[in-house]
Amino acid sequence: MKRRSLPVAAALAATAALLLTACGSGDDDASDNDKIAGAGQGSESPKASASASGAPAEDKPDGVDVSLPKDMDLTMVFDWDKPKDKNEAEAMEDAANFLRAIYRGIGERTTKDAAVVTYATGDGLHYAETQINSWIKGGWTATGTERHYDVNTRSTTNSQAVEVAFCVDSSKFYGKEIKTGKVLKTKPSLADFDHFKIIMSKAPTADGLWRASKVYVQTKAAKCQ
């Protein structure tokens, strides 16, 4: 069994079909930037500004621990270039922190970890909780390397939401049975490649904090191969 790129599964089955038809980028016309699906969902959170995108992640960006448990042999690689726009750079780094938070929750075997509730809200929080619970129920942890690349960002005209779109390569990423230590490998295939679009909403009460409010996943993404 290999984790299918944090699969949509029951988490967002109803909204998965709303995948945007094109990746956003800094070259998009401003008239298109206010059409980001799921934008505008924000809620309160007690945090400060995010670390610079593209730099090695600190264990505690914004004062919240996003490090993986020491017994979790997982490497998360983010081959992302920092956008020039300040909001997009912050949102992109917090999108990475959102993913780190999910794996931290899997490793710690809880959906209540501070990183999870800090970097997710609304449907994004529901998505994270569903992923973590499915791994806990299955008795699995994660191992190997997961690579994130070909990132694009675009903002709404009111600067309250940013879409972060990127590819994920999980060809060297595996599930592992906690009880037996058995690594659940599969043969390389198109199923190793997925395309994510995460809507990051600006937290109204914390400067520089962005939280995942919507998650869209295209599995078996040939464009990411």
Side-chain angles (χ1 to χ4, degrees), residues 138-159:
W140 308 311
T141 186
T143 187
T145 300
E146 183 176 77
R147 188 169 72 92
H148 310 76
Y149 55 101
D150 286 353
V151 65
N152 288 283
T153 57
R154 64 172 180 172
S155 304
T156 54
T157 53
N158 63 5
S159 300

Side-chain angles (χ1 to χ4, degrees), residues 17-153:
L18 298 179
L19 261 173
L20 300 178
T21 56
C23 295
S25 71
D27 297 329
D28 285 343
D29 292 335
S31 60
D32 292 332
N33 286 344
D34 60 350
K35 299 178 182 178
I36 297 176
Q41 292 193 12
S43 58
E44 297 183 0
S45 179
K47 288 203 31 225
S49 64
S51 58
S53 178
E58 298 178 0
D59 284 348
K60 294 185 178 181
D62 309 306
V64 178
D65 193 351
V66 294
S67 64
L68 300 179
K70 293 181 179 180
D71 60 351
M72 194 177 197
D73 187 19
L74 175 64
T75 300
M76 300 182 71
V77 178
F78 293 90
D79 291 331
W80 291 358
D81 292 327
K82 181 180 178 180
K84 294 180 180 179
D85 181 86
K86 179 179 180 291
N87 284 343
E88 293 184 8
E90 291 175 344
M92 189 172 74
E93 179 57 32
D94 281 348
N97 288 331
F98 168 65
L99 298 179
R100 295 182 184 110
I102 292 177
Y103 284 116
R104 177 175 171 81
I106 290 171
E108 297 288 357
R109 320 307 286 172
T110 179
T111 61
K112 305 301 182 182
D113 188 85
V116 176
V117 298
T118 295
Y119 290 109
T121 186
D123 285 345
L125 180 58
H126 177 58
Y127 177 82
E129 291 173 339
T130 299
Q131 302 309 316
I132 294 168
N133 282 330
S134 67
W135 282 72
I136 294 174
K137 183 178 179 180
W140 308 311
T141 186
T143 187
T145 300
E146 183 176 77
R147 188 169 72 92
H148 310 76
Y149 55 101
D150 286 353
V151 65
N152 288 283
T153 57

